[in-house]
Amino acid sequence: MSDQAIQRPSGKNTRWSISALLCSIIILNYFDRVAIAVAAPELQAGFNLSATEIGLVFSIYNYAYTLMQLPIGSMLDKWGVSWVTRIGMTVWSVLTILIAFISGKLLLYSLRFLTGIMSASAFPAASKATANWFPYHERGLANSLFDSAAKFSNVIGGPLVALLITFFDWRTAFLVIGLINVLFTVIFWRYYDEPGRHKKISDEEINYIQKYGANSSDIPVYRAKYIWKKLFTSRKVWGVTIGFTGYGYTFNLLLLWLPTFFKNEFQMDLLSSSLLTAIPWLIASITGVAVGGWLVDALIRKGYKPDRVYKGVITIGMLTGFSFLGAVFTANPILSMVYISAGLAGISATAPIGWTIASKISPPGAQAQTSSIVNFSNNLFGGIIAAALTGWIVDVTGSFTLSFIIAAVVLAVGLFFYTYVLGDIETLKFNEGEQN
């Protein structure tokens, strides 16, 4: 599809306002995790936690988040993005505020578990909303924006939390983030809706996004048993799911442990380690949008086959991703940061493509469920195993080296599934007789 053949709507483009709103949701969804990661040394001291126990604080959130991925996909496909996200944002905002007032390990574990449950809808909701609001030739950029928002949360959230802890304490940091969540919950509640019901959208824009391949919000919902059987027995679903997990393991390891890595390995103070951590995430945010979004869409518009573009960028990105391994083999913190920046830049270019592939192979009516399967595996291996295993390894070995090597192995497995198991990127077919 060439640029000349596409007839874009004139005037206001509501879909990009929706994209900005989805980015805000993801940033807030990750603010909480960023706060835990940055505040980890303070939490360890305040609650008398070992590295294994702070790893459990990380992973217990991800247990709940991961367990909710499969049911949340069905809920989003059945009830829509609006109400599921509104309820989730409201409750997770309150839970974040409550963390500022607790004492005792049990309460900390409990609140993290509940926050994980209520945060679970964010990525599947953003993926489904993007499929409803954007045609294929814009979806790469739209997906890259909300995916890169997760990285960008570290750029602004990490230093913000570090400053609040330095000048006040960790409780103030969680209170401030919780109040920010409340503000954006109100904004989302008032502004988000589906294209056909949105008060700000023009008929011209509705026709445009539907003409060029955006999903309809009125598509049929299929029987859950039939959907799960069809998806879990699909080679394509397994290809994108394990492929995406190759990225997600390294991403989650660095998301949760990078501030502690810099602090422990190079004897840095909290503020310095947080500022150093922000640099790789800024580079990752830019790369995700520039390569995984803009470049991919531009190549497809110029006539290159989407399959070749997707797999080409994934291969180059994941191979570049192995650069992060160099961080554990240098005594120079700046050089370590450079290695991590290169690795994060490489894998971040692949993440938006993973969401696009999941959307593209998904049959109408099952888009959120396909995305939730991908996110389930991503968080099972990355969010749970990477978080807990890294804490245990650090306790036993006193080093992050083995954890980084394991992440590199998982990355290699992901590359294999993307390139050899996925096959052609085509939409799966459902039988009309299986509709609810």
Side-chain angles (χ1 to χ4, degrees):
M1 184 183 298
S2 66
D3 287 327
Q4 291 78 14
I6 298 171
Q7 299 177 349
R8 289 180 172 81
S10 58
K12 186 176 181 180
N13 293 310
T14 304
R15 65 193 183 281
W16 291 110
S17 298
I18 293 295
S19 177
L21 191 62
L22 296 176
C23 290
S24 299
I25 293 171
I26 299 300
I27 288 174
L28 295 176
N29 185 260
Y30 272 81
F31 256 13
D32 174 79
R33 282 177 265 193
V34 171
I36 286 288
V38 174
E42 301 298 317
L43 292 173
Q44 282 185 267
F47 290 91
N48 193 26
L49 302 173
S50 66
T52 301
E53 288 174 320
I54 195 66
L56 179 58
V57 173
F58 295 156
S59 61
I60 200 167
Y61 169 97
N62 288 299
Y63 276 113
Y65 185 94
T66 302
L67 288 172
M68 280 298 294
Q69 285 305 303
L70 299 184
I72 206 68
S74 298
M75 293 164 66
L76 285 163
D77 282 332
K78 184 174 182 180
W79 296 321
V81 171
S82 297
W83 279 105
V84 174
T85 307
R86 286 170 177 173
I87 294 170
M89 288 184 71
T90 300
V91 180
W92 99 50
S93 298
V94 173
L95 292 171
T96 302
I97 292 173
L98 288 177
I99 289 179
F101 299 98
I102 64 168
S103 60
K105 295 179 184 179
L106 182 59
L107 276 176
L108 178 61
Y109 293 147
S110 299
L111 284 181
R112 293 302 296 156
F113 186 84
L114 292 173
T115 305
I117 289 176
M118 302 314 300
S119 301
S121 64
F123 258 96
S127 181
K128 181 178 178 66
T130 299
N132 289 346
W133 274 91
F134 288 89
Y136 279 129
H137 62 271
E138 294 179 343
R139 201 172 296 177
L141 179 57
N143 280 329
S144 73
L145 287 170
F146 82 71
D147 182 83
S148 292
K151 286 86 172 173
F152 192 68
S153 66
N154 291 270
V155 178
I156 54 178
L160 172 63
V161 172
L163 285 169
L164 290 170
I165 291 174
T166 300
F167 290 104
F168 300 98
D169 55 27
W170 67 265
R171 295 182 185 276
T172 302
F174 280 96
L175 179 61
V176 170
I177 288 175
L179 293 174
I180 294 172
N181 281 340
V182 171
L183 173 62
F184 275 88
T185 298
V186 173
I187 294 172
F188 179 85
W189 197 290
R190 292 178 62 86
Y191 191 78
Y192 184 84
D193 210 337
E194 298 300 335
R197 298 191 296 269
H198 203 282
K199 296 178 181 179
K200 302 290 185 179
I201 196 170
S202 65
D203 291 339
E204 184 183 7
E205 188 173 8
I206 291 176
N207 293 334
Y208 167 76
I209 64 177
Q210 292 178 350
K211 177 181 178 180
Y212 293 109
N215 292 343
S216 169
S217 57
D218 299 321
I219 52 182
V221 178
Y222 293 87
R223 294 174 184 173
K225 182 179 179 180
Y226 174 75
I227 291 175
W228 295 124
K229 181 180 179 181
K230 187 75 173 180
L231 295 178
F232 276 110
T233 56
S234 168
R235 172 177 173 172
K236 297 183 187 304
V237 172
W238 281 107
V240 68
T241 297
I242 304 302
F244 196 88
T245 299
Y247 144 82
Y249 191 98
T250 300
F251 168 77
N252 279 284
L253 183 152
L254 296 176
L255 172 72
L256 296 171
W257 285 102
L258 195 52
T260 304
F261 168 77
F262 280 128
K263 185 175 186 294
N264 291 359
E265 295 294 312
F266 303 107
Q267 289 74 54
M268 305 177 72
D269 60 63
L270 179 64
L271 186 57
S272 297
S273 67
S274 296
L275 291 173
L276 198 62
T277 298
I279 296 172
W281 290 114
L282 176 60
I283 294 171
S285 302
I286 295 170
T287 306
V289 174
V291 179
W294 179 83
L295 179 62
V296 167
D297 282 352
L299 291 173
I300 292 172
R301 286 198 301 269
K302 287 183 179 295
Y304 291 95
K305 292 182 179 180
D307 281 31
R308 294 188 65 180
V309 173
Y310 295 151
K311 291 186 177 180
V313 173
I314 283 173
T315 301
I316 295 171
M318 284 193 158
L319 289 175
T320 305
F322 288 105
S323 301
F324 81 94
L325 265 177
V328 294
F329 297 106
T330 178
N332 186 321
I334 302 301
L335 189 56
S336 179
M337 180 269 292
V338 170
Y339 284 130
I340 289 173
S341 297
L344 268 177
I347 64 172
S348 295
T350 72
I353 300 172
W355 292 115
T356 300
I357 293 173
S359 170
K360 199 164 186 178
I361 67 172
S362 174
Q367 200 279 332
Q369 289 167 87
T370 307
S371 296
S372 70
I373 291 173
V374 173
N375 215 27
F376 173 83
S377 176
N378 176 42
N379 283 278
L380 173 63
F381 290 98
I384 295 175
I385 297 177
L389 181 60
T390 300
W392 180 79
I393 289 173
V394 171
D395 269 345
V396 172
T397 68
S399 168
F400 282 86
T401 301
L402 181 57
S403 295
F404 276 50
I405 292 172
I406 291 172
V409 172
V410 177
L411 184 61
V413 172
L415 179 58
F416 173 80
F417 269 76
Y418 263 140
T419 53
Y420 292 101
V421 178
L422 175 61
D424 295 335
I425 303 171
E426 300 172 342
T427 303
L428 298 172
K429 305 296 182 183
F430 276 13
N431 298 324
E432 293 186 2
E434 297 295 338
Q435 296 174 9
N436 282 338

